Coordinates of all heavy atoms in Angstrom, one line a residue:
M146 N 173.5 40.8 97.8 CA 173.8 39.9 96.7 C 172.7 39.0 96.4 O 171.9 38.5 97.4 CB 175.1 39.0 97.0 CG 175.6 38.2 96.0 SD 176.3 39.0 94.5 CE 177.6 39.9 95.2
A147 N 172.4 38.7 95.2 CA 171.3 37.9 94.8 C 171.5 36.4 95.3 O 172.6 36.0 95.3 CB 171.1 37.9 93.3
L148 N 170.4 35.8 95.7 CA 170.6 34.4 96.2 C 170.6 33.4 95.1 O 171.3 32.5 95.1 CB 169.4 34.1 97.1 CG 169.3 35.0 98.4 CD1 168.1 34.6 99.2 CD2 170.6 34.8 99.3
F149 N 169.8 33.7 94.0 CA 169.8 32.8 92.9 C 169.2 33.5 91.7 O 168.0 33.8 91.7 CB 169.0 31.5 93.2 CG 168.8 30.6 92.0 CD1 169.9 29.9 91.5 CD2 167.6 30.5 91.5 CE1 169.7 29.0 90.4 CE2 167.4 29.7 90.4 CZ 168.4 28.8 89.9
F150 N 170.0 33.7 90.6 CA 169.4 34.3 89.4 C 169.0 33.2 88.5 O 169.8 32.3 88.2 CB 170.5 35.2 88.8 CG 170.0 36.0 87.6 CD1 169.6 37.3 87.8 CD2 169.8 35.4 86.4 CE1 169.2 38.1 86.7 CE2 169.4 36.2 85.3 CZ 169.0 37.5 85.5
D151 N 167.8 33.1 88.1 CA 167.2 32.1 87.3 C 167.6 32.3 85.9 O 166.7 32.8 85.1 CB 165.7 31.9 87.7 CG 165.1 30.7 87.1 OD1 165.7 30.0 86.2 OD2 164.0 30.4 87.5
Q152 N 168.7 31.9 85.5 CA 169.2 32.1 84.1 C 168.2 31.5 83.1 O 167.9 32.1 82.1 CB 170.6 31.5 83.9 CG 171.6 32.2 84.8 CD 173.0 31.5 84.6 OE1 173.2 30.8 83.6 NE2 173.8 31.7 85.5
L153 N 167.8 30.3 83.3 CA 166.9 29.5 82.3 C 165.6 30.2 82.2 O 165.2 30.4 81.1 CB 166.7 28.1 82.8 CG 168.0 27.2 82.9 CD1 167.6 25.8 83.5 CD2 168.6 27.1 81.5
W154 N 165.0 30.8 83.3 CA 163.7 31.4 83.1 C 164.0 32.8 82.3 O 163.1 33.0 81.4 CB 163.3 31.7 84.6 CG 161.9 32.4 84.6 CD1 160.7 31.8 84.5 CD2 161.6 33.8 84.6 NE1 159.6 32.7 84.5 CE2 160.2 34.0 84.5 CE3 162.4 34.9 84.6 CZ2 159.6 35.2 84.5 CZ3 161.8 36.2 84.6 CH2 160.4 36.3 84.5
Y155 N 165.0 33.5 82.7 CA 165.2 34.8 82.0 C 165.5 34.5 80.5 O 164.9 35.2 79.6 CB 166.3 35.6 82.6 CG 165.8 36.6 83.6 CD1 165.7 36.3 85.0 CD2 165.4 37.9 83.3 CE1 165.3 37.1 85.9 CE2 164.9 38.7 84.2 CZ 164.9 38.4 85.5 OH 164.3 39.3 86.5
D156 N 166.4 33.5 80.2 CA 166.7 33.2 78.8 C 165.4 32.8 78.0 O 165.2 33.1 76.9 CB 167.8 32.3 78.7 CG 169.1 32.8 79.0 OD1 169.3 34.1 79.0 OD2 170.1 32.0 79.3
A157 N 164.5 32.0 78.7 CA 163.3 31.5 78.1 C 162.4 32.7 77.8 O 161.8 32.7 76.8 CB 162.6 30.5 78.9
R158 N 162.2 33.6 78.7 CA 161.4 34.8 78.5 C 162.0 35.6 77.4 O 161.2 36.1 76.5 CB 161.3 35.7 79.7 CG 160.7 35.1 81.0 CD 159.3 34.6 80.9 NE 159.0 33.3 80.2 CZ 159.4 32.1 80.7 NH1 160.0 32.0 81.9 NH2 159.1 31.0 80.0
L159 N 163.3 35.8 77.3 CA 163.9 36.5 76.2 C 163.6 35.9 74.9 O 163.3 36.5 73.8 CB 165.4 36.6 76.4 CG 165.8 37.6 77.5 CD1 167.3 37.5 77.8 CD2 165.5 39.0 77.1
A160 N 163.8 34.5 74.8 CA 163.6 33.7 73.6 C 162.1 33.8 73.1 O 161.9 34.0 71.9 CB 163.9 32.3 73.8
E161 N 161.2 33.8 74.0 CA 159.8 34.0 73.7 C 159.5 35.3 72.9 O 158.6 35.4 72.1 CB 158.9 34.0 74.9 CG 158.7 32.7 75.6 CD 158.0 32.7 77.0 OE1 157.6 33.8 77.3 OE2 157.8 31.7 77.5
R162 N 160.3 36.3 73.2 CA 160.1 37.6 72.6 C 161.1 37.9 71.5 O 161.1 39.0 70.9 CB 160.2 38.8 73.7 CG 159.0 38.7 74.6 CD 159.1 39.7 75.7 NE 157.8 39.7 76.4 CZ 156.9 40.7 76.4 NH1 157.2 41.8 75.7 NH2 155.8 40.6 77.0
G163 N 161.9 36.9 71.2 CA 162.9 37.1 70.1 C 164.0 38.0 70.5 O 164.6 38.7 69.6
L164 N 164.3 38.2 71.8 CA 165.3 39.1 72.3 C 166.6 38.4 72.8 O 166.5 37.2 73.0 CB 164.7 40.0 73.4 CG 163.5 40.8 73.0 CD1 162.8 41.4 74.3 CD2 163.8 41.8 72.0
S165 N 167.6 39.1 73.0 CA 168.9 38.6 73.5 C 169.2 39.2 74.8 O 168.6 40.2 75.2 CB 170.0 38.9 72.5 OG 170.2 40.3 72.4
R166 N 170.2 38.6 75.4 CA 170.8 39.2 76.7 C 171.3 40.6 76.5 O 171.2 41.5 77.4 CB 171.9 38.3 77.2 CG 171.3 37.1 77.8 CD 172.5 36.3 78.5 NE 172.1 34.9 79.0 CZ 172.8 34.1 79.7 NH1 174.1 34.5 79.9 NH2 172.4 33.0 80.0
T167 N 171.8 40.9 75.3 CA 172.3 42.2 74.9 C 171.3 43.2 75.0 O 171.4 44.3 75.6 CB 172.9 42.2 73.5 OG1 174.0 41.2 73.5 CG2 173.5 43.6 73.1
V168 N 170.1 42.9 74.5 CA 168.9 43.9 74.6 C 168.5 44.1 76.0 O 168.3 45.1 76.5 CB 167.7 43.3 73.8 CG1 166.5 44.2 74.0 CG2 168.1 43.3 72.3
L169 N 168.4 42.9 76.8 CA 168.1 43.0 78.2 C 169.0 43.9 79.0 O 168.6 44.8 79.7 CB 168.1 41.6 78.9 CG 167.7 41.5 80.3 CD1 166.2 41.9 80.5 CD2 167.9 40.1 80.8
A170 N 170.3 43.8 78.8 CA 171.3 44.7 79.4 C 171.1 46.1 78.9 O 171.1 47.0 79.8 CB 172.8 44.2 79.0
A171 N 170.9 46.4 77.7 CA 170.8 47.8 77.2 C 169.5 48.4 77.8 O 169.7 49.6 78.2 CB 170.7 47.7 75.7
V172 N 168.5 47.7 77.8 CA 167.2 48.3 78.3 C 167.4 48.7 79.8 O 166.9 49.6 80.3 CB 166.0 47.4 78.1 CG1 164.8 47.8 78.9 CG2 165.7 47.4 76.6
A173 N 168.2 47.9 80.5 CA 168.4 48.1 82.0 C 169.5 49.0 82.2 O 169.9 49.4 83.4 CB 168.6 46.8 82.7
G174 N 170.2 49.6 81.1 CA 171.3 50.5 81.3 C 172.6 49.8 81.8 O 173.4 50.4 82.5
M175 N 172.7 48.5 81.5 CA 173.9 47.8 81.9 C 174.7 47.4 80.7 O 174.3 47.4 79.6 CB 173.4 46.5 82.6 CG 172.5 46.7 83.8 SD 171.8 45.1 84.3 CE 173.2 44.3 85.1
T176 N 176.0 47.1 80.9 CA 176.8 46.5 79.9 C 176.6 45.0 79.9 O 176.0 44.5 80.9 CB 178.3 46.8 80.2 OG1 178.7 46.0 81.4 CG2 178.6 48.2 80.4
G177 N 177.0 44.4 78.8 CA 176.9 42.9 78.7 C 177.6 42.2 79.9 O 177.2 41.2 80.4
E178 N 178.8 42.8 80.3 CA 179.6 42.2 81.3 C 178.9 42.3 82.6 O 178.9 41.4 83.4 CB 181.0 42.9 81.4 CG 181.9 42.7 80.2 CD 181.5 43.5 78.9 OE1 180.8 44.6 79.1 OE2 181.9 43.1 77.8
E179 N 178.2 43.5 82.9 CA 177.5 43.6 84.2 C 176.3 42.6 84.2 O 176.1 42.0 85.3 CB 177.0 45.0 84.2 CG 178.1 46.1 84.5 CD 177.5 47.5 84.4 OE1 176.6 47.8 83.6 OE2 178.1 48.4 85.0
L180 N 175.6 42.4 83.1 CA 174.5 41.5 83.1 C 175.1 40.1 83.3 O 174.5 39.3 84.0 CB 173.7 41.6 81.8 CG 172.6 40.6 81.8 CD1 171.5 41.0 82.8 CD2 171.9 40.6 80.3
A181 N 176.2 39.8 82.7 CA 176.8 38.4 82.9 C 177.1 38.1 84.4 O 176.9 37.0 84.8 CB 178.0 38.2 82.0
L182 N 177.6 39.2 85.0 CA 177.9 39.0 86.5 C 176.6 38.8 87.3 O 176.6 38.0 88.2 CB 178.7 40.3 87.0 CG 180.1 40.4 86.6 CD1 180.7 41.7 86.9 CD2 181.0 39.2 87.0
A183 N 175.5 39.5 86.9 CA 174.3 39.3 87.6 C 173.7 37.9 87.3 O 173.3 37.3 88.2 CB 173.2 40.4 87.1
Y184 N 173.9 37.4 86.1 CA 173.5 36.1 85.8 C 174.2 35.1 86.6 O 173.7 34.0 87.0 CB 173.7 35.8 84.3 CG 172.5 35.9 83.4 CD1 171.8 37.1 83.2 CD2 172.0 34.8 82.7 CE1 170.7 37.2 82.4 CE2 170.9 34.9 81.9 CZ 170.3 36.1 81.7 OH 169.2 36.2 80.9
K185 N 175.5 35.4 87.0 CA 176.2 34.5 87.8 C 176.2 34.7 89.3 O 177.0 34.3 90.1 CB 177.7 34.5 87.4 CG 177.9 34.0 85.9 CD 179.4 33.9 85.6 CE 180.0 35.3 85.4 NZ 181.4 35.2 84.9
D186 N 175.3 35.6 89.6 CA 175.0 36.0 91.1 C 176.3 36.7 91.7 O 176.6 36.5 92.8 CB 174.7 34.7 91.9 CG 173.4 34.2 91.6 OD1 172.4 35.0 91.4 OD2 173.3 32.9 91.6
Q187 N 177.0 37.4 90.8 CA 178.2 38.2 91.3 C 178.1 39.6 91.2 O 179.0 40.4 91.4 CB 179.4 37.7 90.4 CG 179.7 36.2 90.6 CD 180.8 35.8 89.7 OE1 181.2 36.5 88.7 NE2 181.4 34.6 89.9
R188 N 176.8 40.1 90.9 CA 176.5 41.5 90.9 C 175.1 41.7 91.3 O 174.2 41.1 90.9 CB 176.7 42.1 89.4 CG 176.5 43.6 89.3 CD 176.5 44.0 87.9 NE 176.5 45.4 87.8 CZ 175.4 46.1 87.9 NH1 174.2 45.6 88.2 NH2 175.4 47.4 87.8
E189 N 174.9 42.7 92.2 CA 173.6 43.0 92.6 C 172.9 43.9 91.5 O 173.5 44.6 90.8 CB 173.6 43.8 93.9 CG 174.1 43.0 95.1 CD 174.0 43.8 96.4 OE1 173.0 44.5 96.6 OE2 174.9 43.6 97.2
L190 N 171.6 43.8 91.5 CA 170.7 44.5 90.6 C 170.0 45.6 91.4 O 169.6 45.4 92.5 CB 169.7 43.6 89.9 CG 170.3 42.5 89.0 CD1 169.3 41.5 88.7 CD2 170.9 43.2 87.7
T191 N 169.8 46.7 90.7 CA 169.0 47.8 91.4 C 167.5 47.6 91.1 O 167.1 46.8 90.2 CB 169.4 49.2 90.8 OG1 169.1 49.3 89.4 CG2 170.9 49.4 90.9
A192 N 166.7 48.3 91.9 CA 165.2 48.2 91.6 C 164.9 48.7 90.3 O 164.0 48.1 89.6 CB 164.6 49.1 92.7
A193 N 165.6 49.7 89.8 CA 165.4 50.2 88.4 C 165.7 49.2 87.4 O 165.0 49.0 86.4 CB 166.2 51.5 88.2
Q194 N 166.8 48.4 87.5 CA 167.2 47.4 86.5 C 166.2 46.3 86.5 O 165.7 45.9 85.5 CB 168.6 46.9 86.9 CG 169.6 47.9 86.5 CD 171.0 47.6 87.1 OE1 171.1 46.9 88.2 NE2 172.0 48.2 86.6
I195 N 165.7 45.9 87.7 CA 164.7 44.8 87.8 C 163.3 45.2 87.1 O 162.7 44.6 86.4 CB 164.6 44.3 89.2 CG1 165.8 43.6 89.7 CG2 163.3 43.4 89.3 CD1 165.9 43.3 91.1
A196 N 163.0 46.5 87.4 CA 161.8 47.1 86.8 C 162.0 47.1 85.3 O 161.0 46.8 84.5 CB 161.6 48.5 87.3
A197 N 163.1 47.5 84.8 CA 163.3 47.5 83.3 C 163.2 46.0 82.7 O 162.6 45.8 81.7 CB 164.7 48.1 82.9
F198 N 163.8 45.1 83.5 CA 163.6 43.6 83.1 C 162.1 43.2 83.0 O 161.7 42.7 82.0 CB 164.3 42.7 84.1 CG 165.8 42.8 84.2 CD1 166.5 42.0 85.1 CD2 166.6 43.5 83.3 CE1 167.8 42.0 85.2 CE2 167.9 43.5 83.4 CZ 168.6 42.8 84.3
A199 N 161.4 43.5 84.0 CA 160.0 43.2 84.0 C 159.2 43.8 82.9 O 158.4 43.2 82.3 CB 159.4 43.6 85.4
E200 N 159.5 45.1 82.7 CA 158.8 45.8 81.6 C 159.0 45.3 80.2 O 158.2 45.0 79.4 CB 159.1 47.2 81.6 CG 158.2 48.1 80.7 CD 158.4 49.7 80.9 OE1 159.3 50.0 81.7 OE2 157.6 50.4 80.3
L201 N 160.3 45.0 80.0 CA 160.7 44.4 78.7 C 160.1 43.0 78.5 O 159.7 42.7 77.4 CB 162.3 44.3 78.6 CG 162.8 43.7 77.3 CD1 162.6 44.6 76.1 CD2 164.3 43.4 77.5
L202 N 160.1 42.2 79.6 CA 159.7 40.8 79.4 C 158.1 40.7 79.6 O 157.7 39.6 79.3 CB 160.4 40.0 80.5 CG 161.9 39.9 80.3 CD1 162.5 39.1 81.4 CD2 162.3 39.3 78.9
G203 N 157.5 41.8 80.0 CA 156.1 41.7 80.1 C 155.6 40.9 81.3 O 154.7 40.1 81.2
V204 N 156.4 40.9 82.4 CA 156.0 40.1 83.6 C 155.9 41.0 84.8 O 156.4 42.2 84.7 CB 157.1 39.0 83.8 CG1 157.3 38.1 82.7 CG2 158.5 39.7 84.2
P205 N 155.2 40.6 85.8 CA 155.1 41.4 87.0 C 156.4 41.7 87.6 O 157.3 40.8 87.6 CB 154.2 40.6 87.9 CG 153.5 39.6 87.0 CD 154.4 39.4 85.8
L206 N 156.6 42.8 88.2 CA 157.8 43.2 88.9 C 158.2 42.3 89.9 O 159.4 41.8 90.0 CB 157.6 44.6 89.5 CG 158.8 45.1 90.3 CD1 160.1 45.3 89.4 CD2 158.5 46.5 90.9
A207 N 157.2 41.8 90.7 CA 157.6 40.8 91.7 C 158.1 39.5 91.2 O 159.1 38.9 91.8 CB 156.3 40.5 92.6
E208 N 157.7 39.1 90.1 CA 158.1 37.8 89.4 C 159.5 38.0 88.9 O 160.4 37.2 89.1 CB 157.2 37.4 88.3 CG 157.7 36.1 87.5 CD 157.5 34.9 88.3 OE1 157.0 34.8 89.4 OE2 157.9 33.8 87.7
A209 N 159.8 39.2 88.2 CA 161.2 39.4 87.7 C 162.1 39.6 88.9 O 163.2 39.0 88.8 CB 161.2 40.8 87.0
A210 N 161.7 40.1 90.0 CA 162.6 40.2 91.2 C 162.8 38.9 91.8 O 164.0 38.6 92.1 CB 162.0 41.2 92.2
R211 N 161.8 38.1 91.9 CA 161.9 36.8 92.5 C 162.9 35.9 91.7 O 163.8 35.2 92.2 CB 160.6 36.1 92.6 CG 160.7 34.7 93.4 CD 159.3 34.2 93.6 NE 158.6 33.7 92.4 CZ 158.9 32.6 91.7 NH1 159.8 31.8 92.2 NH2 158.3 32.3 90.6
R212 N 162.7 36.0 90.4 CA 163.6 35.2 89.5 C 165.0 35.7 89.3 O 165.9 35.0 88.9 CB 162.9 35.2 88.0 CG 161.6 34.5 87.9 CD 161.7 33.0 88.3 NE 160.4 32.3 88.0 CZ 160.3 31.1 87.7 NH1 161.3 30.4 87.6 NH2 159.0 30.6 87.5
A213 N 165.2 37.0 89.8 CA 166.5 37.5 89.8 C 167.2 37.2 91.2 O 168.3 37.6 91.4 CB 166.5 39.0 89.6
G214 N 166.5 36.6 92.1 CA 167.0 36.2 93.4 C 166.9 37.3 94.4 O 167.6 37.2 95.4
V215 N 166.1 38.3 94.2 CA 166.0 39.4 95.2 C 164.4 39.7 95.4 O 163.6 39.3 94.6 CB 166.6 40.7 94.7 CG1 168.1 40.5 94.5 CG2 166.0 41.2 93.4
G216 N 164.3 40.3 96.5 CA 162.8 40.7 96.8 C 162.6 42.1 96.3 O 163.5 42.8 96.0
V217 N 161.4 42.5 96.2 CA 161.0 43.8 95.8 C 161.0 44.6 97.1 O 160.1 44.6 97.9 CB 159.6 43.8 95.1 CG1 159.2 45.2 94.7 CG2 159.5 42.8 94.0
H218 N 162.0 45.5 97.2 CA 162.1 46.2 98.5 C 161.5 47.5 98.3 O 161.1 48.1 99.4 CB 163.7 46.5 98.7 CG 164.5 45.3 98.8 ND1 164.3 44.3 99.8 CD2 165.4 44.7 97.9 CE1 165.2 43.3 99.5 NE2 165.8 43.5 98.5
A219 N 161.2 48.0 97.2 CA 160.6 49.4 97.0 C 160.1 49.4 95.6 O 160.5 48.7 94.7 CB 161.6 50.5 97.2
A220 N 159.2 50.4 95.4 CA 158.7 50.6 94.0 C 159.9 51.2 93.2 O 160.8 51.8 93.7 CB 157.6 51.7 94.1
P221 N 159.8 50.9 91.9 CA 160.9 51.4 91.1 C 161.0 52.9 91.1 O 160.0 53.6 91.3 CB 160.6 51.0 89.6 CG 159.3 50.3 89.8 CD 158.8 50.2 91.1
P222 N 162.2 53.5 91.1 CA 162.3 55.0 91.1 C 161.6 55.7 90.0 O 161.4 55.1 88.9 CB 163.8 55.2 91.0 CG 164.5 53.9 91.1 CD 163.4 52.8 90.9
A223 N 161.1 56.9 90.3 CA 160.4 57.6 89.3 C 161.2 57.9 88.0 O 160.6 58.1 87.0 CB 159.8 58.9 89.9
E224 N 162.5 58.0 88.2 CA 163.3 58.4 87.1 C 163.5 57.3 86.0 O 164.1 57.5 85.0 CB 164.7 58.9 87.5 CG 165.6 57.8 88.1 CD 165.5 57.6 89.6 OE1 164.6 58.3 90.2 OE2 166.3 56.9 90.1
V225 N 163.0 56.1 86.2 CA 163.1 55.0 85.2 C 162.1 55.4 84.1 O 160.9 55.4 84.3 CB 162.7 53.7 85.8 CG1 162.6 52.6 84.7 CG2 163.6 53.3 86.9
P226 N 162.6 55.7 82.9 CA 161.8 56.1 81.8 C 160.9 54.8 81.3 O 161.4 53.7 81.4 CB 162.7 56.5 80.7 CG 164.0 56.0 81.1 CD 164.0 55.7 82.6
P227 N 159.8 55.2 80.7 CA 159.0 54.1 80.2 C 159.7 53.3 79.1 O 160.6 53.9 78.4 CB 157.8 54.9 79.6 CG 157.8 56.2 80.2 CD 159.2 56.5 80.6
L228 N 159.3 52.1 78.9 CA 160.0 51.2 77.9 C 160.1 51.9 76.5 O 161.1 51.9 75.9 CB 159.3 49.9 77.8 CG 159.9 48.9 76.9 CD1 161.3 48.6 77.1 CD2 159.0 47.6 76.8
E229 N 158.9 52.5 76.1 CA 158.9 53.1 74.8 C 160.0 54.1 74.6 O 160.6 54.3 73.5 CB 157.5 53.7 74.5 CG 156.4 52.7 74.3 CD 155.9 52.1 75.7 OE1 156.2 52.8 76.8 OE2 155.2 51.1 75.8
R230 N 160.1 55.0 75.6 CA 161.1 56.0 75.5 C 162.6 55.4 75.5 O 163.4 55.9 74.8 CB 161.0 57.0 76.7 CG 161.8 58.3 76.4 CD 161.4 59.4 77.3 NE 162.0 59.3 78.6 CZ 161.4 59.5 79.7 NH1 160.1 59.9 79.7 NH2 162.0 59.3 80.9
R231 N 162.8 54.4 76.3 CA 164.1 53.8 76.3 C 164.4 53.1 75.0 O 165.5 53.2 74.5 CB 164.1 52.7 77.5 CG 164.0 53.3 78.8 CD 164.0 52.2 79.8 NE 165.4 51.8 80.0 CZ 166.0 51.7 81.1 NH1 165.3 51.8 82.2 NH2 167.3 51.3 81.2
V232 N 163.4 52.5 74.4 CA 163.6 51.9 73.1 C 163.9 53.0 72.1 O 164.8 52.8 71.2 CB 162.4 51.0 72.6 CG1 162.5 50.6 71.2 CG2 162.3 49.8 73.6
A233 N 163.2 54.0 72.1 CA 163.4 55.1 71.2 C 164.8 55.7 71.3 O 165.5 55.9 70.3 CB 162.4 56.3 71.3
V234 N 165.3 55.8 72.5 CA 166.7 56.3 72.7 C 167.7 55.3 72.2 O 168.6 55.7 71.5 CB 166.9 56.6 74.2 CG1 168.4 56.8 74.6 CG2 166.1 57.8 74.7
L235 N 167.5 54.0 72.4 CA 168.4 53.0 71.9 C 168.4 53.0 70.3 O 169.4 52.8 69.7 CB 168.0 51.7 72.4 CG 168.3 51.4 73.9 CD1 167.7 50.1 74.4 CD2 169.8 51.5 74.2
E236 N 167.1 53.1 69.8 CA 167.1 53.1 68.3 C 167.8 54.3 67.7 O 168.5 54.2 66.7 CB 165.6 53.1 67.9 CG 164.9 51.8 68.1 CD 163.4 51.9 67.7 OE1 162.8 53.0 67.7 OE2 162.8 50.7 67.5
A237 N 167.7 55.5 68.4 CA 168.4 56.7 67.9 C 169.9 56.5 68.0 O 170.7 56.9 67.1 CB 168.1 57.9 68.7
R238 N 170.4 55.8 69.0 CA 171.8 55.5 69.2 C 172.3 54.6 68.1 O 173.4 54.8 67.6 CB 172.1 55.0 70.6 CG 171.9 56.0 71.7 CD 172.1 55.4 73.1 NE 173.5 54.9 73.3 CZ 173.8 54.2 74.4 NH1 172.9 53.9 75.3 NH2 175.0 53.7 74.5
V239 N 171.5 53.6 67.8 CA 171.9 52.6 66.8 C 172.0 53.4 65.4 O 172.9 53.1 64.6 CB 170.9 51.4 66.7 CG1 171.1 50.6 65.5 CG2 171.1 50.5 67.9
A240 N 171.0 54.2 65.2 CA 171.0 55.0 63.9 C 172.2 55.8 63.8 O 172.8 55.9 62.7 CB 169.7 55.8 63.8
A241 N 172.5 56.5 64.9 CA 173.7 57.4 64.9 C 175.0 56.5 64.6 O 175.9 56.9 63.8 CB 173.9 58.1 66.2
L242 N 175.1 55.4 65.2 CA 176.3 54.5 65.0 C 176.3 54.0 63.6 O 177.3 53.9 63.0 CB 176.2 53.3 66.0 CG 176.5 53.7 67.5 CD1 176.2 52.5 68.3 CD2 177.9 54.1 67.7
E243 N 175.1 53.6 63.1 CA 175.1 53.1 61.7 C 175.5 54.3 60.7 O 176.3 54.0 59.7 CB 173.7 52.6 61.3 CG 173.5 51.3 62.0 CD 172.0 50.8 61.8 OE1 171.2 51.6 61.4 OE2 171.8 49.6 61.9
A244 N 175.1 55.5 61.0 CA 175.5 56.6 60.1 C 177.0 56.9 60.2 O 177.6 57.1 59.2 CB 174.7 57.9 60.5
E245 N 177.5 56.7 61.4 CA 179.0 56.9 61.6 C 179.7 55.9 60.9 O 180.8 56.1 60.2 CB 179.4 57.0 63.1 CG 180.8 57.2 63.4 CD 181.3 58.6 62.9 OE1 180.5 59.5 62.6 OE2 182.5 58.7 62.9
I246 N 179.3 54.6 60.9 CA 180.0 53.5 60.2 C 179.9 53.7 58.7 O 181.0 53.6 58.0 CB 179.3 52.2 60.6 CG1 179.6 51.8 62.0 CG2 179.8 51.1 59.6 CD1 178.9 50.6 62.6
A247 N 178.8 54.2 58.2 CA 178.6 54.5 56.8 C 179.6 55.6 56.4 O 180.3 55.6 55.3 CB 177.2 54.8 56.4
R248 N 179.7 56.7 57.2 CA 180.6 57.8 56.9 C 182.0 57.3 56.9 O 182.8 57.6 56.0 CB 180.4 58.9 58.0 CG 181.2 60.1 57.7 CD 181.2 61.1 58.8 NE 181.9 60.6 60.0 CZ 183.2 60.7 60.2 NH1 184.0 61.0 59.2 NH2 183.8 60.2 61.2
L249 N 182.4 56.5 57.8 CA 183.8 56.0 57.9 C 184.1 55.1 56.7 O 185.3 55.1 56.3 CB 184.0 55.2 59.2 CG 184.0 56.1 60.4 CD1 184.1 55.3 61.7 CD2 185.2 57.1 60.4
K250 N 183.2 54.3 56.2 CA 183.4 53.5 55.0 C 183.6 54.3 53.8 O 184.1 53.8 52.8 CB 182.3 52.5 54.9 CG 182.3 51.4 55.9 CD 181.2 50.4 55.7 CE 181.3 49.2 56.6 NZ 180.2 48.2 56.4
G251 N 183.1 55.5 53.9 CA 183.4 56.4 52.8 C 182.5 56.5 51.6 O 182.6 56.9 50.6

């Protein structure tokens, strides 16, 4: 369990980039509810999730981990896709949802 998730620091980094907690959760493959639990120190984060946080926020992995209240126990797993690919996947999903909404509106 995380010892102390630095909510203010994470929110400030998000604000600097014009991003929201929703984006942070999505990039890390989490739901908003899962991220909210992590923010309240009620959910552990994986190395891959912390790596995604660091990449999105443009901060060193060690800093993202320390601010999440955990140490860097290992390098991020190789299966963590680069940020650009993750963003492209999210953009494709948004486009598909928007197309479905437009179709349903008729």
Side-chain angles (χ1 to χ4, degrees):
M146 187 65 61
L148 299 175
F149 173 72
F150 190 98
D151 192 343
Q152 297 178 20
L153 295 176
W154 184 87
Y155 268 93
D156 286 341
R158 300 299 77 74
L159 289 168
E161 286 172 359
R162 291 180 170 247
L164 302 172
S165 67
R166 288 184 183 184
T167 302
V168 173
L169 183 64
V172 166
M175 303 170 72
T176 66
E178 293 79 19
E179 290 171 331
L180 182 64
L182 290 174
Y184 261 64
K185 295 187 289 187
D186 294 318
Q187 296 176 348
R188 183 186 187 284
E189 291 186 41
L190 295 165
T191 67
Q194 290 166 336
I195 293 171
F198 291 175
E200 190 171 6
L201 178 69
L202 299 175
V204 299
L206 177 59
E208 178 74 1
R211 185 175 68 79
R212 297 293 186 152
V215 297
V217 180
H218 304 295
E224 70 269 8
V225 175
L228 179 61
E229 294 80 17
R230 192 165 80 219
R231 294 179 78 132
V232 169
V234 168
L235 290 171
E236 287 175 342
R238 290 174 63 189
V239 167
L242 289 170
E243 288 174 339
E245 181 65 14
I246 289 169
R248 185 189 68 77
L249 292 172
K250 286 183 176 178

